[in-house]
Amino acid sequence: MKPRSTSRLRLTLFYGVAFALCGCALLVVSNRVVDGGLLKDEGRSDQRVIDTYGYSPAQVKLFYDIPTPQSPNHPDVHTIRDVIGGIQGDIRNEVVHESLMGSIAALGVLMVISIGVGWLMAGRALRPVGELTSRARSLSERNLNERLALEGPDDELKELANTLDAMLARLESAFDAQRRFAASVSHELRTPLSVIRGEADVLFAAPDATARERRFAASVRDASVRSEALLESLLALARSESTMNDRELIDLGDLVGDTVAERIEAADTAGVRVDLELGRVPVEGDPWLLERLVVNLIDNAITHNRPGGWIRIEADSLGQEAVLRIANSGDVLTDAQVTAILEPFQRADRTRPGYGLGMSIVQSVVRVHGGVLEVDAADGGGLVTTVRLPLAGADARESGVPTLVGA
């Protein structure tokens, strides 16, 4: 796989290449300067001899013109001048070579140092970008009220952060307007539906109503009941996706017990056995939303079950968490089906009643309360749903209940 190229790596390579090019240019220039300086000094050697030792130009020329024995290695050397010039050339070449090798070694060491320094400088320059990324990653429709609020100099990154904050403000306003609209529509439609259902009940109970009129009234009444249930679910979903304003201390165990007591008749009618193991589980949250959570989970466990099936409900505290675990028998579900039921209007079995909003509401309520929802297919069929919510701090206690995980 192709390695991931980051801005920090690219900036480091840019710094390193720029330093290398500048270093090479400096190396070439300095080598030329050293070579030219030595060559220039060789050309002034006669004058230096005259100035240093007080010889006359004729005496210096006479000395340089002294013939030398024939050299087998240098047949073109005939005078002292030729010998001295050759020695000066050799010294110049050695000095230039040693200077070049030393400069190359120093450039290599400085290249390594420059890459390290460039990595640190790039990291420091990109640190605000990392902060922006981390804060932006934590934002969603659940916490659009938060802002990046980047601190630092008034530069391009600060301008980008301010632009993103303004965009978040617009998104928050749009989401709030959408939720208010959904809640308002759901609320406003409940009144005419109640009127329609009331009129249908009156027609159904009328002594002079014909059989056809009674069938028509029953159909209208059933349709209105289903529509009211759908609107109730939409209202719960809209409210659960909004910012939670109402907070009360609630015993989750008592809430589960009361809900089961209200639905035990429905469970008996469906032929489903309900086993309870409830402890004292204090949580802090919206009472109406938490009730919707428990109601939807228990209704789903009853509806998506089989005759002669079972439901096991456990509620207790585990460390600093309130844990509600509901396991039920039922059809064998695949991982894809389990994932799909968390989406709005998705049902594992469309032949059963419902609109596919129950688990979406549960998921939204859990999120708005800062909890975690785990949904897994049970071995042999059915579902295991585990809700973990923060335990109320004043009553947090350790419990001997084993860790609850999805089957």
Side-chain angles (χ1 to χ4, degrees), residues 36-95:
L38 292 176
L39 187 62
K40 186 176 181 180
D41 286 344
E42 292 174 9
R44 296 187 304 210
S45 59
D46 292 0
Q47 188 61 41
R48 286 195 175 187
V49 170
I50 294 173
D51 295 340
T52 303
Y53 297 99
Y55 296 124
S56 65
Q59 291 173 323
V60 172
K61 184 178 183 303
L62 179 64
F63 173 76
Y64 279 150
D65 291 340
I66 296 176
T68 59
Q70 187 69 29
S71 172
N73 297 329
H74 300 279
D76 55 340
V77 174
H78 303 288
T79 64
I80 294 296
R81 184 183 298 279
D82 296 334
V83 172
I84 294 176
I87 293 174
Q88 288 177 333
D90 292 341
I91 294 174
R92 183 179 72 252
N93 291 335
E94 290 178 1
V95 170

Side-chain angles (χ1 to χ4, degrees), residues 318-378:
L318 179 64
Q320 299 299 313
E321 289 182 327
V323 181
L324 170 63
R325 182 175 185 264
I326 299 180
N328 62 273
S329 58
D331 298 333
V332 177
L333 301 176
T334 64
D335 292 340
Q337 288 175 313
V338 172
T339 302
I341 63 176
L342 296 176
E343 298 297 327
F345 301 102
Q346 297 294 324
R347 290 178 289 166
D349 185 358
R350 293 189 173 274
T351 63
R352 299 179 184 270
Y355 297 96
L357 289 174
M359 294 304 295
S360 298
I361 295 172
V362 169
Q363 184 173 234
S364 296
V365 173
V366 170
R367 285 179 179 173
V368 80
H369 284 82
V372 177
L373 175 65
E374 301 171 6
V375 183
D376 300 285

Side-chain angles (χ1 to χ4, degrees), residues 156-168:
E156 292 83 355
L157 290 177
K158 185 66 177 297
E159 183 179 0
L160 173 61
N162 293 337
T163 302
L164 292 175
D165 283 341
M167 181 187 68
L168 288 173

Side-chain angles (χ1 to χ4, degrees), residues 58-240:
Q59 291 173 323
V60 172
K61 184 178 183 303
L62 179 64
F63 173 76
Y64 279 150
D65 291 340
I66 296 176
T68 59
Q70 187 69 29
S71 172
N73 297 329
H74 300 279
D76 55 340
V77 174
H78 303 288
T79 64
I80 294 296
R81 184 183 298 279
D82 296 334
V83 172
I84 294 176
I87 293 174
Q88 288 177 333
D90 292 341
I91 294 174
R92 183 179 72 252
N93 291 335
E94 290 178 1
V95 170
V96 172
H97 178 74
E98 291 177 359
S99 175
L100 178 62
M101 292 298 101
S103 299
I104 291 176
L107 180 61
V109 173
L110 291 177
M111 270 291 298
V112 175
I113 296 175
S114 70
I115 291 176
V117 173
W119 179 262
L120 296 176
M121 291 176 60
R124 184 175 182 84
L126 294 174
R127 187 180 301 167
V129 178
E131 295 179 3
L132 284 176
T133 302
S134 177
R135 295 180 186 178
R137 187 181 291 118
S138 64
L139 295 175
S140 66
E141 71 275 10
R142 310 286 174 179
N143 56 350
L144 286 176
N145 59 310
E146 298 181 9
R147 297 292 180 265
L148 300 177
L150 183 67
E151 298 180 356
D154 191 12
D155 54 8
E156 292 83 355
L157 290 177
K158 185 66 177 297
E159 183 179 0
L160 173 61
N162 293 337
T163 302
L164 292 175
D165 283 341
M167 181 187 68
L168 288 173
R170 294 192 296 271
L171 285 174
E172 181 185 13
S173 177
F175 271 92
D176 288 343
Q178 180 186 16
R179 290 164 183 161
R180 287 194 301 269
F181 175 77
S184 298
V185 169
S186 300
H187 181 75
E188 292 298 328
L189 287 178
R190 293 167 74 182
T191 300
L193 284 174
S194 298
V195 173
I196 293 173
R197 186 178 61 178
E199 293 291 342
D201 290 339
V202 170
L203 178 59
F204 187 83
D208 56 345
T210 64
R212 182 181 178 183
E213 290 174 339
R214 285 193 172 90
R215 286 196 303 271
F216 176 76
S219 298
V220 172
R221 182 181 59 188
D222 293 341
S224 63
V225 169
R226 290 194 300 270
S227 298
E228 286 182 350
L230 176 59
L231 288 175
E232 186 74 17
S233 298
L234 290 174
L235 181 61
L237 186 61
R239 180 168 174 178
S240 64

